[in-house]
Amino acid sequence: PACCFHQVDVTDGTALKAWVFGPVEMPGHQLAKERPKDYKRGTVVALHGCGGLYARAGANKGRFNARHQAMADLLVEQGYNVVFPDSLTPRREISLCAKPIGSRDITQRERRADALGTLAWVAQQPWADSGRVAVLGWSHGGSAVLSATDGSNKIVKNQTFTFKTAIAFYPGCAESRKNDYRPNTPLTLFLGADDDWTPPIPCAELARQLQAEKLPVEMNVYEGAVHDFDNP
């Protein structure tokens, strides 16, 4: 897939890095002439976990890690654009995973700002259909999916654009339960039954509560699966 680098200014004033992957038909590539000038695709905004986007060891050190590259390849093969905002390195962080939650400078407030700012940026791009932008995230980024789609939050309510759908892999759901989370778009959860990093029970309870209220939430729990179960 084609990849290019962009700067995205988000709602808290941070200038993010955002990596954009897309089929070769994207404007500026050779096969673009085979599509109408106004041809637009659905786009997925993908939110990394506490460890960031990049591999920290091995042959791919400094490049996308295996999980993010695999997801980019999969979604582009399916015909989507994929945008990965980097929430860490513009804020001079490499990883949050070893830091106690209460001492982290990058919280769900910043992650929500990054997701919503990226959505607003994507919606203005000539290659994107502003009505077909999904958000997907893993772990800390999965929690950010919830933060960015919480219809009970004033910041989310006031956005011009809304995600078409939301997908969260093994998020932490305790904060969303505390904040009376109400999805403003269909939400799908992918949880590992044996996950001891972000245990599935709070998310399962949240999903059942929302489903009882007839809200659009789908829950998938995989027996024997642990945290990071989709990492190739």
Side-chain angles (χ1 to χ4, degrees):
C3 179
C4 41
F5 172 82
H6 294 273
Q7 177 174 307
V8 178
D9 295 320
V10 299
T11 52
D12 71 350
T14 301
L16 290 185
K17 298 175 182 177
W19 296 95
V20 180
F21 294 81
V24 292
E25 293 92 338
M26 286 181 70
H29 292 276
Q30 183 177 358
L31 296 184
K33 61 184 179 181
E34 298 180 8
R35 298 287 188 182
K37 290 184 178 179
D38 60 350
Y39 184 76
K40 299 183 179 185
R41 290 183 179 272
T43 301
V44 178
V45 174
L47 307 177
H48 61 72
C50 63
L53 284 171
Y54 312 109
R56 294 196 295 275
N60 289 326
K61 183 178 180 180
R63 301 178 183 177
F64 264 34
N65 66 28
R67 177 174 58 195
H68 299 125
Q69 189 62 60
M71 184 59 76
D73 293 344
L74 173 66
L75 291 172
V76 168
E77 182 181 355
Q78 296 294 320
Y80 295 101
N81 307 312
V82 194
V83 180
F84 289 85
D86 177 358
S87 292
L88 298 191
T89 60
R91 296 184 174 98
R92 300 185 179 183
E93 291 279 6
I94 296 175
S95 175
L96 305 175
C97 298
K99 294 186 175 183
I101 291 176
S103 67
R104 294 176 178 178
D105 293 329
I106 301 174
T107 68
Q108 289 306 319
R109 179 180 60 187
E110 286 75 29
R111 298 303 305 274
R112 179 180 61 217
D114 295 354
L116 295 175
T118 304
L119 169 62
W121 179 82
V122 167
Q124 299 175 51
Q125 303 310 307
W127 38 262
D129 180 343
S130 62
R132 295 176 59 229
V133 184
V135 61
L136 177 154
W138 299 266
S139 194
H140 196 267
S143 299
V145 168
L146 302 181
S147 297
T149 59
D150 186 357
S152 69
N153 181 277
K154 291 182 179 179
I155 294 173
V156 175
K157 281 183 178 179
N158 290 333
Q159 298 301 305
T160 302
F161 300 100
T162 301
F163 288 108
K164 180 71 172 178
T165 193
I167 303 100
F169 285 85
Y170 34 84
C173 292
E175 185 174 347
S176 291
R177 291 196 71 203
K178 179 181 177 181
N179 293 336
D180 197 28
Y181 170 80
R182 291 294 182 275
N184 67 354
T185 193
L187 170 68
T188 302
L189 299 171
F190 294 103
L191 312 173
D194 294 343
D195 189 340
D196 61 359
W197 185 265
T198 51
I201 291 176
C203 289
E205 292 174 345
L206 175 64
R208 284 193 287 266
Q209 174 190 340
L210 297 173
Q211 288 170 345
E213 299 175 23
K214 307 300 182 183
L215 293 169
V217 178
E218 176 186 334
M219 176 175 60
N220 303 274
V221 182
Y222 299 100
E223 295 300 325
V226 297
H227 196 73
D228 216 23
F229 62 79
D230 61 314
N231 192 333

